[in-house]
């Protein structure tokens, strides 16, 4: 399956919320407003803010009609496990009301929308390793269909005892603890407001095998990202595709990128982490200029 968009869309903002020189989870996840959020939601909120700042859209009126699309497979696993343990040991009266929202797999997307006044479509994908690329494609489709003025895409996975146990049971040794955010918007809109177009979305495909997905994305001769995501962060699970797109943007902005060079990202069955059902492929390319 491939999906063509009649509206050119681009990445205009990237925000990282992963431990490193520019992000200390101990302090960043303890700022005001974090008290009743689960760990994944805290990461998502911080990545969202950084991506919006990078795009020049923080607190902008355009966000009213934007969408939020989150990809996460383990996002609220820890709150769910904690609640089950509490119920087993006591009863429902031991469950505080502020814990209840954390039991929804869509809680991170909801917090991001609430924090930034985003009133457009609100989606959460929990469909394996291909989910991150599918989330970017869903954002593009919402914009092309006129359902959203822009979209904030978040890939997030927390490191928690419950998540660690699942990774270890499947021979995992390292996995990401954090989030990455992308701002997706129409090229025409980005040009009009003078935004920096960091990369354009050139093609997307989804199929039951890698070759078919790459062909559907129109990327048979496009250089592919290697193992950068896993090498840097370990397993990325639902955040994988969003991490790949952020790394692709870095590569496209590098000094050695060739004129017109594009980058292919692939995630899903048989490609590193596998959900066993599908593969998604997405192509990012440098901006084609200011012509819309």
């Amino acid at each position: 399956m491939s999906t063509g968009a009649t509206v050119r869309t681009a990445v205009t903002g990237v925000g990282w919320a992963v431990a490193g020189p520019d992000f200390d989870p101990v302090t960043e996840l303890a700022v005001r407003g974090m008290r009743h959020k689960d760990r994944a939601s805290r990461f998502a909120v911080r990545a969202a803010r950084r991506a919006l700042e990078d795009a020049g859209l923080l607190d902008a009126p355009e966000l009213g009609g934007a969408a939020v699309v989150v990809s996460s497979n383990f996002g609220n696993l820890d709150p769910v496990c904690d609640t089950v343990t509490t119920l087993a040991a006591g009863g429902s009266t031991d469950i505080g009301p502020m814990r209840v929202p954390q039991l929804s797999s869509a809680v991170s997307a909801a917090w991001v929308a609430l924090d930034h006044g985003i009133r457009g479509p609100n989606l959460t994908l929990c469909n394996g390793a291909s989910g991150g690329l599918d989330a970017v494609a869903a954002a593009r489709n919402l914009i092309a269909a006129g359902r959203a003025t822009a979209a904030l895409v978040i890939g997030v996975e927390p490191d928690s005892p419950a998540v660690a146990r699942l990774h270890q049971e499947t021979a995992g040794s390292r996995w990401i603890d954090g989030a990455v955010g992308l701002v997706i918007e129409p090229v025409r809109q980005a040009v009009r407001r003078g935004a920096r177009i960091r990369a354009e979305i050139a093609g997307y495909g989804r199929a039951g095998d890698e070759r078919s997905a790459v062909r559907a994305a129109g990327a048979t001769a496009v250089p592919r990202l290697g193992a950068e995501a896993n090498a840097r962060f370990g397993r990325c699970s639902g955040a994988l595709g969003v991490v790949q797109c952020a790394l692709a943007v870095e590569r496209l902005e590098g000094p050695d990128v060739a004129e017109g060079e594009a980058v292919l990202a692939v995630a899903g069955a048989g490609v590193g982490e596998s959900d066993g059902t599908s593969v998604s492929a997405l192509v990012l390319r440098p901006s084609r200029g200011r012509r819309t």
Side-chain angles (χ1 to χ4, degrees), residues 12-277:
T12 56
V14 177
W16 293 90
V18 184
D22 298 324
F23 188 88
D24 178 9
V26 175
T27 57
E28 292 274 359
L29 302 188
V31 298
R32 185 175 181 179
M34 295 293 192
R35 180 178 179 185
H36 297 296
K37 294 180 176 67
D38 60 284
R39 187 172 182 82
S41 294
R42 295 182 185 192
F43 275 121
V45 165
R46 300 308 287 165
R49 184 177 187 86
R50 289 180 167 220
L52 290 172
E53 287 178 336
D54 187 52
L57 285 174
L58 188 63
D59 300 325
E62 292 94 329
L63 291 180
V68 177
V69 187
V70 169
S71 176
S72 183
N73 294 321
F74 304 123
N76 69 326
L77 180 61
D78 234 38
V80 170
C81 291
D82 289 345
T83 299
V84 171
T85 300
T86 300
L87 289 172
S92 60
T93 56
D94 296 324
I95 305 298
M98 297 307 295
R99 188 190 297 186
V100 176
Q102 299 178 16
L103 303 182
S104 167
S105 59
V107 64
S108 296
W111 276 124
V112 168
L114 287 169
D115 277 8
H116 297 287
I118 300 175
R119 297 185 293 275
N122 192 281
L123 307 177
T124 298
L125 282 67
C126 310
N127 62 313
S130 64
L133 295 181
D134 295 337
V136 175
R140 181 187 68 160
N141 290 341
L142 286 169
I143 293 169
R147 296 287 305 281
T149 56
L152 184 54
V153 180
I154 308 289
V156 57
E157 296 292 1
D159 182 12
S160 65
V163 173
R165 177 179 175 183
L166 287 180
H167 281 301
Q168 291 165 353
E169 288 178 350
T170 54
S173 58
R174 291 177 60 237
W175 45 89
I176 195 169
D177 182 32
V180 181
L182 304 173
V183 174
I184 311 294
E185 59 181 312
V187 170
R188 185 181 296 272
Q189 173 179 294
V191 170
R192 185 169 59 247
R193 69 182 187 86
R196 176 177 56 152
I197 297 176
R198 304 192 63 178
E200 288 192 41
I201 300 173
Y204 164 77
R206 179 181 172 90
D209 63 274
E210 180 181 339
R211 174 179 290 184
S212 299
V214 170
R215 185 185 303 116
T220 53
V222 176
R224 173 175 164 176
L225 281 171
E228 290 94 332
N230 287 338
R232 190 180 299 190
F233 304 111
R235 287 183 175 179
C236 295
S237 194
L240 177 60
V242 187
V243 171
Q244 287 177 321
C245 287
L247 293 175
V249 169
E250 288 184 0
R251 177 181 293 189
L252 292 173
E253 293 179 339
D256 299 325
V257 65
E259 181 70 25
E261 180 179 330
V263 176
L264 168 67
V266 181
V271 185
E273 297 177 74
S274 170
D275 61 7
T277 59

